[in-house]
Amino acid sequence: MADKKLQLQLYNSMTKEKEVFKPIVDGKVAMYICGVTSYDLSHIGHARAYVAFDVLYRCLRFLGYEVVYVRNFTDVDDKIIRRANEVGEDPKVLSGRFCEEFLNDMADLQCLVPTHQPRVTDHMEQIKDMIAKIISNGCAYAVDGDVYFSVDNFPNYGRLSGRKLEDNRAGERVAVDERKRNPADFALWKAAKSGEPQWDSPWGPGRPGWHIECSAMSAHYLTHAFDIHGGGMDLIFPHHENEIAQSCAACSESKVNYWIHNGFVTANDEKMSKSIGNFFTIREVIKLYHPLALRHFLLGTHYRSPVNYSIAQIEISSEAVFYIYQTLQDCEDALLAFKEESGANAKPARISPAAQDCISKLHNEFETRITDDLHTPSILNAALQEAFRFINTSLTMLKKKQPKQQQLSAVKALTDLEKEVKQVLDVLGLLSSSTYAEVLQQLKDKALKRAGLTETDILHSIEERTLARKNKEFSKSDQIRSDLAGKGIALMDVGKETVWRPCVPVQQEQPGVPGKQENAPPVEKAPSAEPADK
């Protein structure tokens, strides 16, 4: 737990400024994040959002706050019904299945489980109660079993997005309905259609509109006034704008103090979404890359900035994660060997000024950067890298003959620095529950899969290279090493032994043919007819 005197600053989309975070109740935080519409596997745009808010959740807990984190599932929606009809499946069964698939993806990405994960279909009474309040307060009207929110009766409409009412396009998600008093009015309740899921209501059988669900569920779990509401930037309008209108129309004391929005994932500099078909599911990516590599890649860009999906960048992140875990494994091995050699009665020692400076710098820079609107790229690329370099330098020195007290000092420095590094990685969500060795093996297995090779293939190549060097066939030896490097496999000579590790593939130049990794996820896919997710 960090010193509670630390001040967290967050960029508030409502005020368009970075503000010092002050919760409504001292020491406690209430946070609602818009979840997925469960009709398909989640793509890496979803991963971007939920990794970002997982870091926020972890950061708040690190700072000592007690956090109630709510992330919903939209499990009844036009897209769910359409997909269920396409595949001949019950909409509730289909949505339930994809809710579970989403949870599996989040677990793979090491996102902590929220306090509550409500589903729309379990909260119909709360939704209907809120709609009734909005109608009684004169901000909604019923027409033929549908209920619409009247934007003309809510003078502050548009304050989050900055859009003027006359500029709003009618029907962001649906066709224009002539029965509306204003084309910008949006549905709170939709009259039942044949063959669709439906619930009884005072306005006739039907189901909720898209926006009302989050207003009702956030109020149910967090009350009408709470600290943080978040989601992707594409939710600012119309979803979050409509949420504000609904919530305030239902309860005049409704208020969210901080609106937080993450940037898009792009592919070829276009927003990644199902509507244009340039999306990749989390499953597609982690089939060939470790989930920690995907998480590292996403954290390498500030959460509010767009991040451009590229295989090259995930390769770099994959290598970075391997370096992190190899360094931690080497550190653990060295410390274990020292303890076995020295016994449990080794006297404690003071660490060197250089080691203390490294630990203090990592500690202070981490706290400074994470509390500055979650600036994860600075943490990954600056102080954390310096700490790993110091660990590796210390490990090299520890292998050399040196006075006992100096050795004890180095061991103490490594022990303290490893503890500090692990805390940083834990807040970033990059510290696996698996052992270091297990993660390293998982990374190697993924590298083999991308290369289309087996461990036996590599060992055979190492034998061939060793024989070529013995016969002074150095061009053949170099070619074997080069061929493997082109497939993302690095051979390293350690003493008299040759070992291998994953690396960023070294592209082999061919006339007129740009280098390409055969098993990498594609950079283009056939378009999908589905609209963009919330």
Side-chain angles (χ1 to χ4, degrees):
M1 184 183 294
D3 187 340
K4 288 189 178 182
K5 292 179 182 177
L6 284 172
Q7 286 191 325
L8 174 63
Q9 295 187 80
L10 294 172
Y11 183 85
N12 191 342
S13 299
M14 179 64 79
T15 62
K16 310 296 187 290
E17 291 180 349
K18 197 155 56 174
E19 301 175 2
V20 173
F21 176 71
K22 294 179 181 178
I24 295 170
V25 178
D26 189 38
K28 297 185 177 182
V29 178
M31 179 170 75
Y32 186 96
I33 305 302
C34 288
V36 293
T37 301
S38 53
Y39 69 102
D40 203 347
L41 292 174
S42 298
H43 54 68
I44 61 174
H46 296 126
R48 204 308 163 79
Y50 302 119
V51 165
F53 288 109
D54 180 66
V55 172
L56 175 56
Y57 183 34
R58 289 170 179 270
C59 176
L60 289 166
R61 295 188 354 161
F62 167 74
L63 294 174
Y65 290 107
E66 181 184 327
V67 186
V68 177
Y69 174 17
V70 182
R71 185 184 66 205
N72 76 295
F73 283 107
T74 296
D75 63 342
V76 58
D77 180 86
D78 291 339
K79 296 190 299 297
I80 295 170
I81 294 167
R82 184 164 56 247
R83 177 60 59 82
N85 288 338
E86 288 171 359
V87 299
E89 190 172 1
D90 179 84
K92 189 170 183 179
V93 173
L94 180 137
S95 62
R97 178 160 54 85
F98 283 115
C99 285
E100 294 306 312
E101 297 289 8
F102 171 82
L103 293 175
N104 291 335
D105 287 341
M106 293 301 102
D108 284 338
L109 291 172
Q110 296 208 152
C111 292
L112 298 176
V113 178
T115 316
H116 303 287
Q117 299 189 84
R119 302 188 186 194
V120 175
T121 54
D122 294 329
H123 295 79
M124 286 298 165
E125 294 309 311
Q126 291 87 352
I127 290 170
K128 288 185 285 186
D129 287 348
M130 179 168 276
I131 293 173
K133 288 176 184 176
I134 296 171
I135 292 174
S136 67
N137 289 336
C139 289
Y141 55 94
V143 181
D144 302 327
D146 293 315
V147 179
Y148 293 103
F149 186 90
S150 176
V151 294
D152 290 327
N153 289 2
F154 189 74
N156 289 326
Y157 189 80
R159 58 181 171 154
L160 177 65
S161 63
R163 296 170 65 140
K164 295 179 181 179
L165 192 55
E166 58 268 23
D167 294 335
N168 289 341
R169 290 181 293 123
E172 287 290 326
R173 273 193 148 189
V174 295
V176 175
D177 188 336
E178 297 297 334
R179 299 172 303 159
K180 293 181 181 180
R181 296 174 184 174
N182 184 317
D185 291 350
F186 55 90
L188 301 178
W189 188 260
K190 296 181 177 183
K193 294 180 182 178
S194 178
E196 292 188 354
Q198 55 185 269
W199 289 261
D200 290 333
S201 82
W203 319 284
R207 57 187 172 87
W210 174 36
H211 313 294
I212 190 67
E213 62 189 57
C214 288
S215 289
M217 289 189 288
S218 62
H220 176 69
Y221 288 95
L222 304 175
T223 76
H224 287 281
F226 57 95
D227 299 297
I228 296 171
H229 196 318
M233 285 184 178
D234 54 337
L235 298 186
I236 292 176
F237 187 89
H239 187 55
H240 287 163
E241 196 70 77
N242 291 352
E243 271 197 68
I244 293 170
Q246 296 163 161
S247 297
C248 292
C251 176
S252 60
E253 296 179 359
S254 178
K255 182 176 174 58
V256 173
N257 284 348
Y258 301 88
W259 287 90
I260 313 296
H261 294 94
N262 65 275
F264 300 132
V265 175
T266 61
N268 298 323
D269 298 315
E270 287 186 291
K271 175 183 174 287
M272 184 174 291
S273 72
K274 294 182 179 179
S275 60
I276 56 178
N278 66 341
F279 72 99
F280 310 99
T281 66
I282 296 168
R283 299 287 173 87
E284 285 177 300
V285 177
I286 67 174
K287 183 180 179 182
L288 295 173
Y289 296 92
H290 198 287
L292 285 174
L294 177 55
R295 186 173 179 113
H296 185 282
F297 162 71
L298 294 170
L299 295 179
T301 301
H302 188 262
Y303 80 91
R304 286 193 289 113
S305 300
V307 55
N308 198 47
Y309 172 78
S310 95
I311 292 168
Q313 289 301 314
I314 294 181
E315 288 281 4
I316 291 169
S317 283
S318 183
E319 185 171 51
V321 172
F322 190 91
Y323 171 73
I324 288 169
Y325 276 83
Q326 186 65 66
T327 301
L328 290 172
Q329 180 67 67
D330 292 345
C331 184
E332 184 179 79
D333 290 344
L335 293 175
L336 182 62
F338 177 82
K339 286 176 185 176
E340 290 175 350
E341 182 183 325
S342 303
N345 298 320
K347 294 179 181 179
R350 293 183 178 181
I351 64 176
S352 68
Q356 186 57 62
D357 182 62
C358 182
I359 293 168
S360 297
K361 189 173 182 181
L362 175 60
H363 180 86
N364 294 334
E365 286 201 19
F366 168 67
E367 290 189 343
T368 298
R369 297 301 185 184
I370 200 69
T371 56
D372 181 17
D373 199 27
L374 312 177
H375 215 291
T376 56
S378 297
I379 299 167
L380 290 175
N381 299 321
L384 197 57
Q385 290 301 311
E386 289 186 33
F388 283 121
R389 283 194 291 270
F390 191 92
I391 289 173
N392 281 307
T393 300
S394 299
L395 288 172
T396 300
M397 294 299 294
L398 200 58
K399 292 175 184 176
K400 297 179 179 179
K401 221 172 183 182
Q402 52 187 326
K404 189 69 173 177
Q405 201 58 32
Q406 196 172 335
Q407 189 182 51
L408 288 170
S409 177
V411 168
K412 170 66 173 168
L414 283 169
T415 302
D416 291 356
L417 187 51
E418 182 196 28
K419 182 179 178 181
E420 192 70 36
V421 164
K422 286 171 70 175
Q423 179 172 261
V424 171
L425 293 175
D426 186 45
V427 178
L428 296 178
L430 291 173
L431 188 63
S432 176
S433 57
S434 301
T435 66
Y436 302 150
E438 286 169 342
V439 174
L440 288 169
Q441 187 58 54
Q442 290 160 8
L443 286 159
K444 293 178 83 170
D445 290 343
K446 297 288 186 184
L448 289 171
K449 195 167 188 178
R450 294 194 298 274
L453 298 170
T454 65
E455 184 106 27
T456 302
D457 293 331
I458 294 178
L459 294 177
H460 179 68
S461 293
I462 290 173
E463 289 175 4
E464 276 193 308
R465 178 172 173 266
T466 301
L467 182 61
R469 294 174 75 189
K470 185 178 180 180
N471 295 334
K472 297 185 179 181
E473 298 175 305
F474 298 116
S475 60
K476 181 179 179 181
S477 166
D478 290 343
Q479 189 62 51
I480 292 170
R481 188 173 195 170
S482 177
D483 288 345
L484 288 173
K487 295 181 178 181
I489 306 295
L491 298 185
M492 304 175 69
D493 297 316
V494 182
K496 295 182 179 180
E497 185 184 7
T498 300
V499 297
W500 74 273
R501 56 162 289 172
C503 68
V504 175
V506 178
Q507 297 297 335
Q508 306 296 311
E509 299 247 350
Q510 296 178 26
V513 181
K516 182 181 178 183
Q517 193 180 339
E518 294 201 12
N519 288 333
V523 294
E524 292 184 4
K525 293 182 69 175
S528 165
E530 301 298 342
D533 288 303
K534 78 166 188 171

